[in-house]
Amino acid sequence: MEKRKRTNALKDDENEDNIWWLVVQRGLAPSFISISLFALLVRVAVSLHPYSGAGKPPKYGDFEAQRHWMEITLNLPASEWYRNSTANDLSYWGLDYPPLTAYQSYIHGLILRNFLPDSVSLQTSHGHESYLGKLLMRWTVLSSDVLMFFPAVFYFIVVYYSGSRTGCKSDWAWHVAMILLNPCLILIDHGHFQYNCISLGLTIGAVAAILSDKDLLACFLFSLALNHKQMSAYFAPAFFSYLLGKCLRRQNPLLEVLSRLAPFERGIYEDYVANFWCTSSVLIKWKRLFTIPSLKLLSLGATVSASLPSMVQQIWAPTSFLAIDEPFLFKWMMHYALLSMFPLMCRDELILPYISLSALFILLYHAPGGRKEKRVALSPSNLKSFVVVFLVLCSLILHVVYLVVSPPEKYPFLFEAMIVLLCFSQFLFIAGYTNIKQWMTLKDSALENKEKKHL
């Protein structure tokens, strides 16, 4: 009997590590399909609203930029896609994303040309906004989401829970909903109009590959993400540090050099975004004080310096991410990421989807059976509760003020600056806390190993 029990236990362990057994026996597939269909319907509903630059000549907005890149890649040879010419005026939404975006634009352009040639004809299609053209453009984003982002999320969830006996069905469903119904991604891609789902899908796939100990696959997928959109470089320090940490533990480690494209000609930041450069520009006029080459070096130095503590910890002890272990920080980050997008959503006339998706996120986050928050033990609970309530009230007041109050003529961007300042302060707090948490985790792990050695 004992031998049979041990044999069954071994079989159970093997099954737990088998991804397809997890999908079939634990019923992950039906849950994922149901949530995916709902997430797809939400995307379709948001896409019915206006997009960036709708009916606003002469340059319109990001919708026109993406359409124009399809026009350029279809009608010009690849050698001329990034060069200024009479047929490709770079001052009119010049292609400044990495090559994979250009080839994605070419493929989507083929679809548009097949159904509506006028929408991508060279030069004569500028500002094209026919009903069918808009429908086809929205369809390209939806199809990209379904083909790239959704499968990557499924791969990540399955890999994360494979071999884990602690995760119940509600945990999987909650995680899938949190990722697929991310309001920031939906608003930017299906409202404002972008293709972030492709680069993010590749990045999530790379994370899942790392969790599966498939480092070469992770490198391949993340390299594709970097070659699709420059913003994927925000994740580069984490990937680089983790993989370098693993390499240094091998007998003959090989070091690689990573590089990225950065269109500094647009400036060190665009619009009012909640980053260090935009926030500090209220007092320090970076663009006036420094040349573009100087700003490149300054930006590189500041980015590396800010990333260094976390990178050193990852090199010292490669570990997984904290987002799932700290759901409160995830909610807090999402709240202020949404607030930082609010002025842009107002300009794009996407206020209704913004409010709807924010409410949906809060409802799903606090749904029964979801992950329970861990207390952030940085201050007494009463003080922490007061600060949290105060900051949430500030964000709600800023929403209302931005909508109903006109800024002073002397300071037309006053409210944008206030939103940027509040959001950046919270992003800075999250960065500081997660760095502290990383090093505390390392310390706890070292103490645990020390105790095991004594035993």
Side-chain angles (χ1 to χ4, degrees):
M1 284 293 290
E2 288 296 324
K3 187 176 180 181
R4 185 179 295 177
K5 286 181 180 179
R6 284 198 297 270
T7 304
N8 290 336
L10 285 172
K11 286 182 179 179
D12 287 341
D13 288 339
E14 289 175 2
N15 285 334
E16 289 287 342
D17 292 330
N18 186 295
I19 289 177
W20 294 113
W21 183 91
L22 179 74
V23 172
V24 175
Q25 296 299 324
R26 287 196 174 183
L28 178 57
S31 300
F32 184 85
I33 292 171
S34 300
I35 296 170
S36 297
L37 288 173
F38 178 69
L40 191 61
L41 287 173
V42 171
R43 284 161 165 76
V44 171
V46 171
S47 68
L48 298 176
H49 290 77
Y51 49 81
S52 171
K56 297 175 183 176
K59 291 188 71 174
Y60 301 88
D62 279 1
F63 178 93
E64 170 62 10
Q66 298 288 346
R67 187 216 57 79
H68 179 62
W69 294 350
M70 297 178 197
E71 167 198 338
I72 292 300
T73 53
L74 271 178
N75 295 288
L76 296 177
S79 59
E80 296 183 25
W81 289 352
Y82 291 92
R83 293 181 179 177
N84 193 46
S85 64
T86 53
N88 183 19
D89 182 5
L90 294 183
S91 65
Y92 185 82
W93 296 119
L95 181 55
D96 56 7
Y97 276 21
L100 194 56
T101 288
Y103 286 105
Q104 166 233 310
S105 298
Y106 175 78
I107 293 169
H108 286 157
L110 290 173
I111 297 170
L112 264 70
R113 186 168 67 183
N114 184 57
F115 290 96
L116 190 62
D118 290 345
S119 65
V120 286
S121 60
L122 189 62
Q123 294 185 329
T124 59
S125 61
H126 288 192
H128 185 94
E129 291 187 304
S130 69
Y131 175 78
L132 180 57
K134 289 185 282 188
L135 189 66
L136 290 169
M137 288 286 285
R138 289 294 197 190
W139 183 87
T140 61
V141 184
L142 284 168
S143 60
S144 299
D145 229 338
V146 172
L147 293 174
M148 298 295 298
F149 190 71
F150 283 49
V153 172
F154 183 72
Y155 177 34
F156 167 75
I157 292 294
V158 169
V159 167
Y160 181 79
Y161 281 103
S162 63
S164 171
R165 295 176 182 273
T166 56
C168 62
K169 198 169 182 178
S170 61
D171 283 341
W172 310 336
W174 185 82
H175 282 140
V176 170
M178 287 294 98
I179 301 173
L180 290 187
L181 291 163
N182 183 315
C184 294
L185 176 61
I186 295 173
L187 285 168
I188 287 295
D189 276 15
H190 301 276
H192 180 79
F193 201 91
Q194 283 283 343
Y195 292 94
N196 292 297
C197 55
I198 296 176
S199 57
L200 286 176
L202 291 167
T203 302
I204 291 173
V207 171
I210 281 181
L211 293 178
S212 304
D213 285 327
K214 297 176 181 176
D215 294 342
L216 286 177
L217 177 60
C219 292
F220 173 72
L221 291 174
F222 187 62
S223 295
L224 289 178
L226 282 170
N227 277 279
H228 182 263
K229 198 159 188 179
Q230 297 97 326
M231 284 195 298
S232 299
Y234 290 138
F235 307 110
F239 279 93
F240 174 78
S241 305
Y242 179 87
L243 293 170
L244 178 60
K246 290 189 72 175
C247 284
L248 292 176
R249 279 155 180 75
R250 295 181 179 177
Q251 191 172 0
N252 298 304
L254 296 174
L255 305 181
E256 293 180 5
V257 178
L258 299 180
S259 60
R260 67 179 180 93
L261 293 171
F264 274 89
E265 287 69 24
R266 293 188 184 187
I268 203 163
Y269 61 86
E270 270 194 287
D271 213 332
Y272 274 80
V273 292
N275 65 15
F276 168 77
W277 304 106
C278 185
T279 306
S280 60
S281 68
V282 176
L283 299 175
I284 306 171
K285 304 304 177 185
W286 300 103
K287 296 178 184 178
R288 296 178 190 171
L289 293 173
F290 298 94
T291 61
I292 292 295
S294 299
L295 283 175
K296 288 182 180 181
L297 293 174
L298 191 61
S299 175
L300 177 62
T303 302
V304 172
S305 300
S307 304
L308 204 57
S310 179
M311 291 175 68
V312 169
Q313 188 276 332
Q314 282 287 291
I315 294 170
W316 188 266
T319 56
S320 192
F321 38 81
L322 296 172
I324 292 176
D325 294 329
E326 296 280 355
F328 172 79
L329 289 182
F330 172 70
K331 179 180 72 171
W332 200 246
M333 182 80 172
M334 188 64 64
H335 176 76
Y336 284 97
L338 277 167
L339 174 60
S340 70
M341 292 165 48
F342 185 62
L344 178 64
M345 296 298 103
C346 289
R347 288 199 296 274
D348 290 344
E349 299 178 22
L350 292 168
I351 298 175
L352 180 59
Y354 176 92
I355 295 172
S356 302
L357 284 169
S358 299
L360 179 62
F361 174 79
I362 293 169
L363 287 172
L364 289 172
Y365 181 88
H366 292 284
R371 278 291 181 99
K372 293 183 179 179
E373 294 179 357
K374 293 181 180 179
R375 293 186 178 274
V376 181
L378 294 179
S379 58
S381 57
N382 289 339
L383 178 60
K384 177 201 162 188
S385 299
F386 171 78
V387 171
V388 168
V389 171
F390 174 76
L391 289 171
V392 170
L393 282 175
C394 286
S395 66
L396 293 175
I397 290 169
L398 278 174
H399 278 94
V400 176
V401 167
Y402 190 85
L403 286 174
V404 302
V405 180
S406 298
E409 290 186 12
K410 190 176 179 181
Y411 303 105
F413 301 108
L414 175 64
F415 300 144
E416 282 92 341
M418 292 172 69
I419 289 173
V420 163
L421 181 61
L422 177 60
C423 293
F424 176 70
S425 69
Q426 298 312 298
F427 297 155
L428 193 63
F429 158 74
I430 292 170
Y433 174 77
T434 50
N435 270 275
I436 293 170
K437 184 75 174 181
Q438 272 188 279
W439 283 97
M440 286 173 63
T441 303
L442 177 61
K443 185 179 178 182
D444 293 341
S445 178
L447 287 172
E448 187 178 338
N449 291 335
K450 192 174 181 181
E451 288 175 1
K452 285 181 179 177
K453 286 180 181 179
H454 285 302
L455 291 173

